[in-house]
Amino acid sequence: MNFKNLREYLAWLYYQYLLITGIYVLEPWEKSIFNSILFSAIAMVVYTSYVFVPIHVRLALEFFSGIFGGQHSTMKH
Amino acid sequence: MFFFPQNPNVTHNSNLYKRPFVESFEETPLLVAVLTYMGYGILTIFGYLRDFLRHWNIEKCHVARDREQQKDFVPLYQDFENFYTRNLYMRIRDNWNRPVCGVPGAKMDLAERVSYDYNWTFKHTGKVVKDVINMGSYNYLGFAENVGACADAAVDVTKKYGSGVGSTRCEIGNLDIHEELEQLIARFLGVESSMAFGMGFATNSMNIPALTGKGCLILSDELNHASLVLGARLSGSTIRVFKHNNMQSLEKLLRDAIVHGQPRTHRPWKKILIVVEGIYSMEGSIVRLPEVIALKKRYKAYLYLDEAHSIGALGPHGGGVVDYFGLDPNDVDIMMGTFTKSFGAAGGYIGGKKELIDYLRSHSHSALYATSMSPPVAQQIITSMKIIMGEDGSTLGRQQTQLSQNTTYFRKKLWDMGFIIYGNDDSPVVPLMLYMPAKIGAFGREMLKRNIGTVVVGFPATPIIESRARFCVSAAHTREMLDIALEAISEVGDVLQLKYSRRERPLPALGWMSEESLLQD
């Protein structure tokens, strides 16, 4: 596929999304319901990961560095 | 060209075939199958939502529903087929039942229509979409024309005989033109005798009950046409179904039938009738006739061959699958076919031994009760059949050569473009796999935008995930028309991402498997 510009490419991507999910055949109001549910779910996932992933990563780092640091210190002794 | 080492449909008895028999049914890619099911899942959820809204009268219900007074009775519109029609089929209904104006030859005119309420009702705009390339008609040999030798002959006959006599063949509806037609069919097929009927569907559904009955066994291919299924059920015989074109499955059923006989009593079956079609119109596959005949002879069964699509369209002389495989027509007990497809007419025929035809003349419901064939229709068949046989002075087999060249060209091009197409290399019916429900609608609409009329097929005519577009190649298509159609198909294939085939690439599963086995070692 050759695209003239980014806009055309994005339109094609959206068309593929419509076809694969099957919402191509739905009426506009049904499409907007589907899109709203899908995008709010994605937004929630993104937000949750933004909020909680750093905390978990920090905790995990502390945990592993605790083990690693502990071993390290035993080796020193 | 179409060779797969892992394909279960490869020929096992290749010594029976005079020419290579290549048929392919490429496996559905896993990702596509998963996405297709997901699409149906999403559409089903929205279907339930709409049904809920209709139930509580939040939105207007356009289809039949249970009446208020009958709401405590058994619900009539709750099953899956009704749900499917209401909530999935209705959304893409504009792709089917399009009004055609004029002759659906190689090109046709369509009446334009619009819908302002999402396909619940249609309005004609009064405009006509001109010169749409017709890739959907069963006009294999191009006889669907309103000008030319066939049409002229039919006009002359109408002037002589009128449009019909309104009586059965047994009473006062028998005309000399019917006798002439039947003798010609027998000669064309190479059988002793034949009989013509005014309706193709009834030829199957009314003659099978005349041939078999209680205590008989019918072995039927799983993809047989509805008319054969109806006939088999009406006959009251026991029906057993074998896997599509699978000779191992057929042989196992035959052996079991002979060894065990009828259920409970264990008496031998009175008759065993194998019912197959020549070309299967949804798969584009050709029956493995040499093997079926070998089995039929070995186990002393009878064979009913429905050549609805193959007569005229296959074989160097247009004689159907028997001609295609170079077999003896006398090996097939009942040769059935229709005039609706290759001959551009209407009706059906049965050919076979004289005793069989004489028996059918006095016992078949469609011979006893149906009005006889209309004379202009009979004349259309006579003229077109004579042209196929080369008896009108034209070159013999011109249409067949054109059709087989078109078929080979069309299939080869689609194959090279990377589409998944089903069926035999020589079959003029070319199914192109679409899979996803939204793509059924999108494909039909996009093709019509490019002025090409196609047939798209979904559930219930196919398994739910194997939706497809079906092209029927005709001898009337010129190379230019096919090139225009192919270019449009390729373009739409790119837009809709339909080029699913994974033939060229090495199989990813093999690499994964070998890694796995290394790990296990």
Side-chain angles (χ1 to χ4, degrees):
Chain A
M1 294 290 287
N2 298 317
F3 300 103
K4 283 189 206 103
N5 48 38
L6 185 68
R7 196 187 144 86
E8 205 174 90
Y9 177 64
L10 290 178
W12 182 77
L13 274 187
Y14 180 65
Y15 191 60
Q16 296 309 309
Y17 159 75
L18 290 181
L19 286 174
I20 288 169
T21 52
I23 62 170
Y24 169 82
V25 302
L26 299 185
E27 290 170 29
W29 65 271
E30 289 169 313
K31 265 183 208 159
S32 38
I33 289 181
F34 182 85
N35 284 337
S36 333
I37 292 174
L38 187 70
F39 286 112
S40 46
I42 290 173
M44 276 190 267
V45 169
V46 169
Y47 178 71
T48 323
S49 38
Y50 171 72
V51 171
F52 290 104
V53 167
I55 297 172
H56 285 289
V57 168
R58 193 163 53 79
L59 285 175
L61 276 177
E62 276 174 21
F63 177 73
F64 284 113
S65 66
I67 295 169
F68 191 70
Q71 279 179 344
H72 202 70
S73 62
T74 48
M75 277 176 78
K76 247 183 187 175
H77 281 284
Chain B
M1 180 171 72
F2 289 27
F3 180 72
F4 292 95
Q6 71 274 48
N7 191 337
N9 294 310
V10 287
T11 315
H12 298 293
N13 301 307
S14 46
N15 53 327
L16 290 172
Y17 294 88
K18 288 177 184 151
R19 46 183 297 174
F21 184 83
V22 267
E23 217 161 79
S24 79
F25 296 94
E26 197 179 330
E27 214 180 321
T28 310
L30 183 66
L31 180 67
V32 175
V34 170
L35 291 174
T36 309
Y37 279 120
M38 186 196 74
Y40 275 111
I42 292 168
L43 293 179
T44 309
I45 292 170
F46 276 97
Y48 278 117
L49 172 73
R50 297 298 289 272
D51 270 2
F52 174 83
L53 295 179
R54 284 186 203 115
H55 182 256
W56 294 102
N57 285 323
I58 300 171
E59 73 163 295
K60 190 171 172 286
C61 183
H62 297 271
V63 277
R65 60 201 294 188
D66 298 309
R67 291 160 71 187
E68 195 55 37
Q69 313 80 300
Q70 292 178 337
K71 69 178 193 306
D72 296 327
F73 285 64
V74 180
L76 294 175
Y77 305 108
Q78 233 176 29
D79 59 341
F80 180 71
E81 275 72 16
N82 276 297
F83 178 87
Y84 184 88
T85 310
R86 252 191 334 260
N87 296 308
L88 286 102
Y89 169 70
M90 272 316 218
R91 298 180 190 273
I92 47 174
R93 192 161 75 114
D94 54 318
N95 287 296
W96 289 277
N97 306 324
R98 280 201 180 110
V100 178
C101 16
V103 188
K107 287 191 173 185
M108 60 182 173
D109 299 339
L110 294 178
E112 195 185 59
R113 59 180 187 178
V114 286
S115 178
Y116 297 108
D117 52 1
Y118 299 100
N119 293 347
W120 289 102
T121 57
F122 290 101
K123 278 200 174 66
H124 289 283
T125 57
K127 281 184 215 150
V128 172
V129 191
K130 288 264 182 199
D131 288 334
V132 177
I133 296 177
N134 182 2
M135 298 300 298
S137 287
Y138 298 140
N139 179 19
Y140 299 120
L141 296 181
F143 284 116
E145 287 300 335
N146 58 354
V147 287
C150 293
D152 295 343
V155 169
D156 291 342
V157 164
T158 318
K159 283 176 187 157
K160 189 176 168 196
Y161 290 88
S163 58
V165 281
S167 178
T168 67
R169 293 283 299 278
C170 304
E171 287 162 5
I172 51 168
N174 196 28
L175 300 173
D176 56 350
I177 199 167
H178 296 133
E179 309 268 337
E180 186 194 341
L181 173 65
E182 286 173 352
Q183 281 157 16
L184 183 68
I185 298 166
R187 203 146 49 83
F188 179 63
L189 297 173
V191 293
E192 280 178 22
S193 185
S194 86
M195 184 174 186
F197 302 88
M199 177 178 166
F201 191 101
T203 312
N204 276 334
S205 61
M206 292 289 105
N207 282 312
I208 297 177
L211 294 167
T212 63
K214 206 163 156 271
C216 300
L217 175 68
I218 292 179
L219 298 177
S220 170
D221 191 292
E222 63 178 343
L223 295 178
N224 272 348
H225 187 253
S227 57
L228 292 166
V229 175
L230 179 68
R233 287 184 185 163
L234 286 176
S235 71
S237 322
T238 306
I239 304 163
R240 290 189 186 146
V241 178
F242 60 93
K243 291 204 187 81
H244 175 55
N245 233 350
N246 185 326
M247 293 305 121
Q248 282 84 3
S249 174
L250 175 62
E251 181 159 20
K252 189 175 178 303
L253 286 181
L254 276 167
R255 272 169 187 264
D256 286 354
I258 287 165
V259 171
H260 300 298
Q262 297 186 35
R264 290 202 303 280
T265 59
H266 296 291
R267 286 183 192 145
W269 294 100
K270 286 183 189 161
K271 269 176 246 166
I272 299 178
L273 182 68
I274 304 169
V275 181
V276 289
E277 284 186 46
I279 294 182
Y280 290 84
S281 65
M282 283 297 161
E283 309 295 308
S285 50
I286 296 177
V287 65
R288 299 173 168 277
L289 196 63
E291 288 175 79
V292 176
I293 288 182
L295 283 178
K296 160 206 129 76
K297 281 184 177 164
R298 188 185 300 160
Y299 295 98
K300 307 270 187 294
Y302 295 96
L303 177 59
Y304 187 108
L305 175 65
D306 176 349
E307 296 215 76
H309 289 270
S310 52
I311 191 72
L314 276 186
H317 311 102
V321 267
V322 177
D323 187 21
Y324 174 74
F325 289 114
L327 299 166
D328 182 6
N330 294 314
D331 283 341
V332 181
D333 299 286
I334 302 128
M335 303 262 280
M336 182 270 164
T338 59
F339 304 122
T340 329
K341 280 100 185 176
S342 299
F343 302 100
Y349 67 81
I350 284 204
K353 295 217 163 51
K354 192 167 181 305
E355 298 91 62
L356 170 84
I357 303 301
D358 288 346
Y359 173 81
L360 282 178
R361 274 189 211 285
S362 51
H363 287 86
S364 155
H365 301 309
S366 54
L368 288 173
Y369 303 118
T371 50
S372 61
M373 187 184 268
S374 171
V377 174
Q379 185 57 48
Q380 163 84 18
I381 302 162
I382 292 173
T383 316
S384 54
M385 204 175 266
K386 279 187 175 161
I387 294 175
I388 296 172
M389 292 163 83
E391 289 186 5
D392 66 328
S394 68
T395 17
L396 178 66
R398 188 168 45 83
Q399 284 88 359
Q400 276 73 37
T401 319
Q402 180 72 39
L403 177 65
S404 83
Q405 279 171 359
N406 282 356
T407 304
T408 315
Y409 180 74
F410 194 71
R411 277 191 169 264
K412 172 89 173 61
K413 286 278 174 179
L414 286 182
W415 174 264
D416 289 345
M417 285 172 192
F419 291 105
I420 295 187
I421 52 170
Y422 271 10
N424 195 295
D425 268 11
D426 293 321
S427 143
V429 182
V430 189
L432 183 151
M433 303 310 286
L434 303 173
Y435 298 112
M436 292 169 203
K439 288 185 184 178
I440 308 172
F443 188 82
R445 290 172 194 167
E446 289 290 330
M447 289 303 282
L448 191 62
K449 255 188 229 169
R450 290 161 176 78
N451 239 24
I452 289 153
T454 53
V455 174
V456 281
V457 198
F459 182 82
T462 66
I464 192 123
I465 70 158
E466 291 181 8
S467 308
R468 59 197 71 175
R470 193 186 53 182
F471 305 105
C472 293
V473 182
S474 162
H477 290 136
T478 59
R479 192 50 69 88
E480 293 78 57
M481 286 183 201
L482 288 181
D483 281 333
I484 296 168
L486 284 165
E487 200 181 313
I489 294 165
S490 176
E491 204 180 301
V492 174
D494 283 332
V495 174
L496 305 186
Q497 292 290 293
L498 292 172
K499 297 177 179 174
Y500 298 118
S501 186
R502 301 168 299 174
R503 286 176 303 253
E504 303 302 321
R505 297 173 217 161
L507 291 168
L510 286 175
W512 181 77
M513 291 265 287
S514 56
E515 245 179 61
E516 175 100 315
S517 59
L518 277 176
L519 286 172
Q520 276 170 353
D521 289 336

